């Protein structure tokens, strides 16, 4: 996929940064985020993390629309360098409790812009009504 990856004895790792960021959301939001992205074209690659409270991490292209954590709905996290994500080595594989929620497609190497993923996350967090989304205090939203 052309991503900056690394590997060790436990498998593959994606190093965020250099144009790739991620938005981490509760797994309960993931179907709505995915549906919103698929209405546009397809789902951006995403990982399901089998943690105590399952989470899904949607990969995105860094852009000026997402300036930091304070712009996300409560419950979501913005991830960038030096974050490292464990990668399953195949679309059906599991790596350290991580599986592909939306596997990458080599025919579509580009990622959704972070601003587009952010809008899908905001809509999911608000149950489909982005104007009612829970927000952090003292923030301003810029979607260019």
């Amino acid at each position: 996929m052309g991503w900056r990856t690394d590997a060790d004895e436990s498998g593959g790792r994606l190093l965020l940064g250099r144009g790739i960021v991620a938005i981490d959301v509760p797994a309960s939001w993931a179907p709505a985020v995915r549906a919103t992205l698929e209405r546009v074209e397809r789902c951006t690659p995403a990982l399901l993390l089998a943690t105590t409270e399952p989470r899904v991490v949607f990969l995105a292209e860094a852009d000026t629309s997402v300036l930091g954590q304070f712009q996300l709905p409560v419950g979501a996290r913005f991830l960038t360098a030096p974050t490292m994500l464990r990668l399953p080595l195949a679309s059906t594989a599991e790596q350290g409790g991580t599986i592909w929620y939306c596997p990458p497609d080599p025919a579509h190497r580009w990622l959704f812009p972070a601003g587009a993923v952010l809008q899908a996350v905001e809509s999911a967090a608000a149950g489909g009504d982005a104007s009612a989304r829970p927000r952090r205090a003292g923030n301003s939203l810029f979607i260019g």
Side-chain angles (χ1 to χ4, degrees):
M1 297 296 293
W3 300 337
R4 192 175 106 190
T5 59
D6 191 2
D8 62 15
E9 63 282 346
S10 63
R13 300 177 299 186
L14 173 64
L15 308 171
L16 296 183
R18 294 190 183 181
I20 299 177
V21 297
I23 300 178
D24 173 14
V25 302
S28 61
W29 298 2
V33 173
R34 182 176 185 161
T36 298
L37 296 175
E38 287 177 342
R39 276 195 294 273
V40 174
E41 181 180 349
R42 62 180 174 77
C43 185
T44 196
L47 296 161
L48 174 62
L49 309 178
T51 56
T52 305
E53 294 182 28
R55 305 199 50 94
V56 174
V57 178
F58 289 89
L59 302 179
E61 177 184 331
D63 64 15
T64 57
S65 299
V66 177
L67 301 175
Q69 178 63 40
F70 68 91
Q71 291 182 293
L72 292 164
V74 175
R77 295 184 305 160
F78 180 64
L79 306 174
T80 189
T83 303
M84 181 176 35
L85 299 171
R86 290 273 172 213
L87 292 178
L89 299 179
S91 63
T92 57
E94 178 179 339
Q95 177 63 43
T98 300
I99 60 171
W100 285 109
Y101 179 74
C102 298
D105 180 355
H108 296 97
R109 291 180 175 256
W110 62 273
L111 300 172
F112 268 79
V117 178
L118 172 60
Q119 287 179 326
V121 167
E122 289 176 328
S123 180
D129 180 5
S131 65
R133 64 187 173 267
R135 300 299 296 259
R136 299 183 193 288
N139 65 338
S140 61
L141 180 63
F142 169 73
I143 297 180

